[in-house]
Amino acid sequence: MDTVSQLQRQFVEYTASLYREGYLDDQFTQLQKLQDESNPDFVVEVVSLFFEDSEKLLNNLTTALHQENIDYKQVDAHVHQFKGSSSSIGAQRVKDMCVVFRNYCDEKNLDGCVVCLQQAKNEYILVRNKLEALFNLEQQILQAGGSVPMMV
């Protein structure tokens, strides 16, 4: 088996595991379908924006939860935004964490919010690392002269 087909098989197996383990959902598939020859970096660009937004939102959340008088409406607005951006790229576990987080905001439960923030950070770092590894595999396939398999 040549390098390209090995990399392609690895790519397919890795992508399948991301769906199976709940890191990604169908929304990520929808993003991939929007990518074509005229816009070959579409997914990477959208996901990179998600990374930038997430870093800002996580910093804002950390700051907001360390205030003396916590504005839970503001915290909830940040979490709502984080949920939206993670939904838009199909980062399912981050999105699910945000749903739980928002419940704690409604209850004005500081301990719950702090725990959720940590878990949301962890899930975000996991999905970021996994997507970076996926994009890295895509690059290796292209550099070896192959085409990236479409996931159905």
Side-chain angles (χ1 to χ4, degrees):
M1 187 187 274
D2 64 8
T3 310
V4 170
S5 29
Q6 255 178 323
L7 285 167
Q8 287 170 325
R9 202 183 72 217
Q10 204 181 339
F11 176 85
V12 169
E13 286 168 5
Y14 188 63
T15 307
S17 77
L18 295 181
Y19 286 99
R20 201 173 47 247
E21 293 163 23
Y23 288 104
L24 297 176
D25 62 25
D26 290 345
Q27 186 56 40
F28 189 75
T29 316
Q30 298 306 316
L31 277 186
Q32 287 177 314
K33 287 179 181 164
L34 295 172
Q35 182 165 297
D36 56 21
E37 279 72 43
S38 66
N39 201 349
D41 298 325
F42 179 73
V43 176
V44 172
E45 285 167 10
V46 171
V47 170
S48 298
L49 285 173
F50 165 69
F51 291 162
E52 284 173 34
D53 281 351
S54 299
E55 304 282 343
K56 274 188 223 135
L57 287 167
L58 287 166
N59 288 334
N60 291 343
L61 281 164
T62 304
T63 305
L65 288 173
H66 285 89
Q67 301 302 315
E68 207 169 311
N69 296 312
I70 294 166
D71 180 349
Y72 285 96
K73 273 199 169 66
Q74 187 195 28
V75 173
D76 184 62
H78 291 317
V79 178
H80 180 66
Q81 207 179 336
F82 195 27
K83 179 178 169 246
S85 62
S86 49
S87 297
S88 71
I89 69 137
Q92 190 180 345
R93 285 165 59 153
V94 176
K95 181 184 75 183
D96 293 347
M97 202 60 249
C98 289
V99 173
V100 178
F101 200 156
R102 292 194 72 194
N103 291 333
Y104 284 117
C105 288
D106 287 345
E107 295 166 8
K108 297 182 171 33
N109 178 331
L110 179 58
D111 292 340
C113 285
V114 170
V115 169
C116 280
L117 174 60
Q118 198 47 58
Q119 289 176 317
K121 270 184 190 170
N122 293 346
E123 287 299 346
Y124 162 69
I125 290 165
L126 278 171
V127 80
R128 187 186 67 199
N129 291 343
K130 290 183 182 293
L131 284 167
E132 284 171 350
L134 187 71
F135 295 150
N136 197 359
L137 260 176
E138 283 183 4
Q139 285 310 308
Q140 288 176 33
I141 292 169
L142 295 171
Q143 282 161 1
S147 59
V148 176
M150 265 309 288
M151 300 302 290
V152 185

